[in-house]
Amino acid sequence: MKKTLLAMGVLGAFSSLAFAASNVTLYGLIEEGVVVSKAKHKDTMVDLKAGFDSGNRWGIKGVEELGNGYSVGFILEQGFNADDGSEGVAGKAFNVNLSFMLTADLVLSPSVVLVV
């Protein structure tokens, strides 16, 4: 009986964690292709080629509403080679995009002057 209650408690803890992380998105793009080439009087060559246009990448992005029109967000994006799974740039994590944002909805009344 105690083991069942403990298991239910652990499952309940993980379900609340999953609910709290609902503003986070995991995404990715894989560009992989086969290149077949044949020159006159030569053998046909077949190559596997990755990242033709914008490259292979995966990322995590999220936004959290803070209230009163404020929100914070982040984007972490890592490039990789689809052929072997290695990093796009060795030793550099999130080398494609690493950004943090703070946004605010500003409503200015006619009596408020914004000086930049």
Side-chain angles (χ1 to χ4, degrees), residues 18-83:
F19 179 75
S22 64
N23 296 349
V24 176
T25 304
L26 178 65
Y27 64 94
L29 172 70
I30 297 177
E31 282 187 330
E32 190 74 19
V34 176
V35 177
V36 179
S37 58
K38 169 100 171 106
K40 236 182 200 184
H41 307 294
K42 302 278 183 169
D43 291 337
T44 301
M45 297 196 47
V46 179
D47 288 325
L48 189 64
K49 183 159 172 62
F52 284 96
D53 189 28
S54 58
N56 302 307
R57 61 187 179 274
W58 71 274
I60 305 168
K61 61 183 172 181
V63 176
E64 183 66 32
E65 298 294 328
L66 300 175
N68 293 331
Y70 292 99
S71 64
V72 293
F74 66 92
I75 299 174
L76 305 170
E77 200 168 271
Q78 172 72 40
F80 68 95
N81 297 318
D83 297 342

